Amino acid sequence: MVYYVHLFKGMREPSILSYQMEKAEEIRGLWKRVVILLLISMLLSAIASYYGVGLGFLAKEITGIPQQELEAKKLIAGIGKIIWAAGFGAFVLFGWSLILWALIDLQYKKLVVIQLFVLVILLLEKAILLPFSISLGIGSEFSPFALGVVAKYITSNLIVIHLLSHLSIFKIWVIVFQYICMKRMSEKNPKIILLLIICVNLFFWVVSTLLSYLKIESLL
């Protein structure tokens, strides 16, 4: 059976996707979608950088350096964010799949296909949050779709705030989507699969939290 990658159809019907992936002997359209999603990830970061999202640390230098030098620093920082976005997308597709491949008995290429849909969900979250960041100047840690906002009123600990900011409806969607797809494709106990998926996602949340915290601390 030949499986043709259709991103939006697969997102709407993950159970049908898992059935098709289970039977698939050949996968077509994968690399084209990989390139498209990486370009979208870079585009979203380019738009964010254009409007100064995530470049607040340069505000400290507005009065200290010439305008031309400030613009050069903005450009360099923006390029760095775009490269980071490409690296992030590649890691979600290939690095995350490698970890899941080591834990769950599934073909690596099929895991990459599943992660394509995961990346779509994460990019959708970023795209929806972008207008809030541009118009209101809020960061991802204060997303209205996550618990970071609630955490802000409970504690002033930045690590806790950033960690809870990763617990959004989109991240829950990722876990549910991965579970629906993998439980049918794998012979492992569904409870073990769910536990492994949650642990891997939690690991990435913790790593992202530490990176966000260290970034903030280095700019103080």
Side-chain angles (χ1 to χ4, degrees):
M1 176 181 175
V2 178
Y3 172 72
Y4 295 88
V5 180
H6 298 289
L7 293 177
F8 295 105
K9 182 179 179 180
M11 288 180 63
R12 293 196 307 268
E13 302 169 332
S15 58
I16 295 179
L17 167 67
S18 62
Y19 172 78
Q20 293 174 332
M21 289 295 298
E22 183 183 21
K23 302 297 182 182
E25 298 176 352
E26 182 181 354
I27 298 173
R28 295 183 182 178
L30 172 61
W31 299 111
K32 180 180 179 180
R33 271 69 179 183
V34 167
V35 172
I36 291 173
L37 290 183
L38 291 181
L39 289 175
I40 291 175
S41 180
M42 296 168 69
L43 177 61
L44 289 174
S45 284
I47 294 173
S49 297
Y50 178 80
Y51 286 101
V53 178
L55 302 180
F57 63 93
L58 291 175
K60 297 180 179 181
E61 304 186 25
I62 290 180
T63 59
I65 61 176
Q67 182 64 28
Q68 187 175 3
E69 183 179 347
L70 178 62
E71 292 300 324
K73 287 191 174 185
K74 286 183 178 180
L75 178 61
I76 294 173
I79 293 174
K81 285 176 66 66
I82 293 172
I83 294 174
W84 175 267
F88 167 78
F91 180 78
V92 169
L93 294 176
F94 304 111
W96 202 330
S97 296
L98 184 62
I99 294 174
L100 290 171
W101 172 80
L103 297 173
I104 303 175
D105 55 335
L106 293 175
Q107 292 183 24
Y108 179 75
K109 192 172 184 179
K110 292 183 178 182
L111 285 170
V112 173
V113 173
I114 294 174
Q115 288 303 113
L116 274 177
F117 297 96
V118 170
L119 184 56
V120 170
I121 296 172
L122 296 178
L123 292 178
L124 181 62
E125 179 180 27
K126 187 174 182 179
I128 293 176
L129 188 59
L130 187 56
F132 291 92
S133 300
I134 294 173
S135 60
L136 302 177
I138 63 174
S140 58
E141 66 273 18
F142 299 127
S143 166
F145 308 106
L147 292 180
V149 177
V150 176
K152 181 183 177 183
Y153 294 98
I154 298 175
T155 178
S156 60
N157 189 306
L158 290 178
I159 293 181
V160 174
I161 292 175
H162 278 278
L163 181 60
L164 291 179
S165 71
H166 288 286
L167 188 56
S168 67
I169 57 175
F170 293 92
K171 301 303 192 305
I172 300 300
W173 185 4
V174 165
I175 291 175
V176 171
F177 185 89
Q178 289 175 321
Y179 175 67
I180 291 174
C181 291
M182 294 182 197
K183 74 173 181 177
R184 176 163 190 161
M185 296 168 58
S186 174
E187 295 180 356
K188 286 185 178 295
N189 187 307
K191 294 181 180 179
I192 298 298
I193 293 176
L194 180 60
L195 179 61
L196 290 173
I197 290 173
I198 291 175
C199 288
V200 172
N201 277 273
L202 182 60
F203 170 75
F204 289 130
W205 296 350
V206 171
V207 171
S208 298
T209 297
L210 293 176
L211 289 175
S212 299
Y213 177 76
L214 291 176
K215 178 181 177 182
I216 289 176
E217 289 299 294
S218 66
L219 298 175
L220 291 178

